[in-house]
Amino acid sequence: MEGDCLSCMKYLMFLFNFFIFLGGACLLGVGIWVIVDPTGFREIVAANPLLFTGAYIMLAMGAMLFLLGFLGCCGAIRENKCLLLFFFMFILLIFLAELSAAILAFIFRENLTREFFTKELKKHYLRNNDTDVFSSTWNSVMITFACCGVNGPEDFEAVPHLPHSSLEKATPEACCQRELQSRAGTFVNKEACLTGIERFQNRQGCYTVILNSFETYVYLAGALAIGVLAIELFAMIFAMCLFRGIQ
């Protein structure tokens, strides 16, 4: 009975890690393709700091899952205690890292307030200067979500105007309404927007818009996080049970 239970656990662990291995291989392949692709997609990614960072995060996650799945598969099917121990230690490190990230997020949660983002925007934003990562990222967010500043266009009253601008109330171009919410989208009326005519501006602050956009996904993200932690916990238990059961 004990041998049957051990055999069942071994093949379940192999199957579980095989899917992790395949998922890691897919992420790794896509990440490598995005970074080295010669057809021009690389330039598009490199031009956007968010996409550029995301590509490397995808690459790192793919490599980690690939190695994790490989260790788990080999350790389970070969009943190799050394590989199972490496697998257990690897999962444990990831588990502790996630736990540390959750604790740090709780400790520094006050840095995600409306006041914090408003202060940072007024301090670092350089309007239409897309060579600056902070400004470029904010412009992309405002265009994508059809919003303006953290609270609204009034956030930019303390931001210095462009040297060549003769407009008294210079509003960033990213706050102007577009027919299509992308950088390539045509302005509804750019000149009227920049002179402060409200009906051609996106008046709602990005803080409220983004919170409303992601509100429906908060519980889903929480459930997924709990699910991932539970899977990691069970993977460690299976690995240790298999480790102890191997003679």
Side-chain angles (χ1 to χ4, degrees):
M1 186 68 179
E2 187 179 342
D4 291 340
C5 185
L6 190 65
S7 180
C8 179
M9 190 177 295
K10 178 178 80 172
Y11 287 111
L12 277 174
M13 188 171 172
F14 173 81
L15 187 64
F16 168 74
N17 283 285
F18 181 69
F19 284 117
I20 292 178
F21 177 81
L22 286 180
C26 289
L27 280 177
L28 194 61
V30 171
I32 292 171
W33 174 72
V34 167
I35 291 169
V36 303
D37 174 50
T39 60
F41 192 70
R42 178 184 175 184
E43 283 72 22
I44 297 172
V45 171
N48 190 314
L50 292 176
L51 289 178
F52 189 71
T53 304
Y56 278 100
I57 290 173
M58 185 185 296
L59 193 65
M61 284 181 64
M64 184 179 68
L65 290 174
F66 183 85
L67 180 59
L68 189 63
F70 177 78
L71 287 174
C73 284
C74 291
I77 209 70
R78 293 172 63 87
E79 297 185 5
N80 188 305
K81 297 184 81 169
C82 183
L83 286 176
L84 284 172
L85 186 60
F86 268 116
F87 175 79
F88 175 83
M89 294 301 295
F90 201 1
I91 286 278
L92 181 62
L93 285 173
I94 294 170
F95 185 84
L96 291 175
E98 290 171 347
L99 196 61
S100 300
I103 292 169
L104 286 172
F106 178 77
I107 292 172
F108 295 105
R109 65 190 183 282
E110 64 273 8
N111 286 353
L112 298 178
T113 60
R114 186 189 295 269
E115 290 74 21
F116 172 80
F117 286 118
T118 304
K119 184 178 73 173
E120 290 298 301
L121 178 69
K122 290 180 178 180
K123 183 178 179 182
H124 300 292
Y125 185 69
L126 300 177
R127 295 187 178 271
N128 302 319
N129 184 359
D130 282 340
T131 58
D132 176 66
V133 174
F134 184 88
S135 303
S136 176
T137 302
W138 258 107
N139 288 336
S140 296
V141 168
M142 291 191 289
I143 292 169
T144 302
F145 289 94
C147 56
C148 188
V150 178
N151 308 288
E154 63 274 10
D155 289 343
F156 298 102
E157 291 175 3
V159 177
H161 293 181
L162 293 172
H164 58 272
S165 175
S166 59
L167 302 173
E168 292 184 4
K169 291 186 177 180
T171 302
E173 290 182 7
C175 288
C176 297
Q177 291 181 4
R178 299 169 187 245
E179 294 178 4
L180 179 66
Q181 294 307 318
S182 71
R183 286 183 178 271
T186 306
F187 290 101
V188 175
N189 191 327
K190 181 179 174 182
E191 289 74 19
C193 166
L194 295 179
T195 54
I197 299 176
E198 295 184 2
R199 64 193 181 95
F200 296 111
Q201 297 175 348
N202 295 315
R203 302 292 301 173
Q204 197 167 13
C206 293
Y207 192 88
T208 302
V209 171
I210 292 173
L211 275 186
N212 291 340
S213 300
F214 290 103
E215 189 176 12
T216 54
Y217 301 104
V218 170
Y219 295 109
L220 178 61
L224 284 174
I226 292 170
V228 167
L229 289 172
I231 288 170
E232 290 172 353
L233 194 58
F234 279 115
M236 286 190 287
I237 292 170
F238 280 172
M240 274 296 99
C241 288
L242 201 56
F243 180 85
R244 290 174 60 86
I246 295 171
Q247 301 300 322

